[in-house]
Amino acid sequence: MAEGDSILRMARRIDGALTGSRVSVTTPGRRRPEGLSASSLDGLVLERVESRGKHLLLHFEDDLTLHSHLGMHGGWHVYRPGQRWRRSPSQAWISLAGDGAEAVNFGGSFMRIGGRKRLLRDPRLVRLGPDILSPEFDPAESIARMRRSDPGGELGEALLDQSLVAGIGNIFKSEGAFEAQLDPNRRLESLSDGEITAVLAATRELMLAAVESGRQPKRIYRRAGEPCPRCGTRLESRAQGDDARITYWCPGCQTT
Ligand SMILES: [Zn+2]
């Protein structure tokens, strides 16, 4: 699944390619966005592209917005005019062609087009916690939400809960806790505010580096059974939380 770093990179890419352009809109595949029809964006100028956690928002003139969430397999590609697409047009929900570039969405968990005010009241956006990649990210607000939610919940689960902190996915959950040397199996109630702040700061730093480099760190992710790159202990993994997402950690140097 695309995590916040990939979504922010996509937002910047589409922004650089199309913001200020008047777009022509086509829907090559079978699926259609929810809400207004795709043709309602045809001929409008793209004014701004925004990411919020794992959500992407394309703001157009006339106060219209396209809201996209990529789920496990979706993606946005940016092409030059006439360039061959890397996925089949039958999988494309929407193509936005502007001056010298075209942004094409291939699938995702949902896409919706609507009036901006109404769309921004969508519960899927309203319930989001602070965006870990926002310049205004405030760990105190995330910690307050964690303390209010489920004190017996585990750190690894809390990092994935988009209503507590938005943008972290399965890779950065494990890598961030490893970087901060905290065991992701610990319950929130056993962690000090300072410890949670440290893991959020470490995760944010790793994600910001990935936004710039385009490469996600995989020091322990999917490396169960291998020696820890820090201390040499065998790395472990387990399915964590209701969704049984796999968490990786080092029992040697991540404090319990
Ligand atoms: Zn270790």
Side-chain angles (χ1 to χ4, degrees), residues 178 228 230-233 250 252-253:
F178 178 72
C228 169
R230 187 187 287 126
C231 75
T233 306
C250 172
C253 62

Side-chain angles (χ1 to χ4, degrees), residues 141-155 157-159 161 163-165 188-189 196:
E141 170 60 19
S142 279
I143 292 169
R145 287 176 179 234
M146 289 181 192
R147 299 293 188 212
R148 281 198 301 269
S149 66
D150 174 13
E154 294 170 357
L155 174 63
E157 284 179 84
L159 293 176
D161 185 335
S163 70
L164 304 179
V165 52
L188 293 176
E189 60 200 357
I196 302 176

Side-chain angles (χ1 to χ4, degrees), residues 213-226:
S213 71
R215 287 189 309 277
Q216 295 174 321
K218 291 187 182 156
R219 297 181 75 198
I220 63 162
Y221 181 75
R222 290 195 173 158
R223 293 186 186 275
E226 295 182 26

Side-chain angles (χ1 to χ4, degrees), residues 11-67:
R12 287 184 181 174
R13 185 114 195 273
I14 298 169
D15 192 49
L18 284 181
T19 289
S21 281
R22 201 167 288 287
V23 298
S24 32
V25 177
T26 51
T27 49
R30 282 179 291 276
R31 286 183 75 173
R32 294 289 175 266
E34 301 167 29
L36 298 177
S37 77
S39 62
S40 59
L41 300 177
D42 197 38
L44 298 185
V45 172
L46 177 64
E47 292 182 331
R48 192 163 64 90
V49 185
E50 180 190 359
S51 65
R52 291 192 188 180
K54 300 177 184 175
H55 298 252
L56 192 64
L57 297 165
L58 278 65
H59 300 297
F60 293 83
E61 61 179 343
D62 291 355
D63 291 325
L64 291 182
T65 292
L66 182 156
H67 175 193

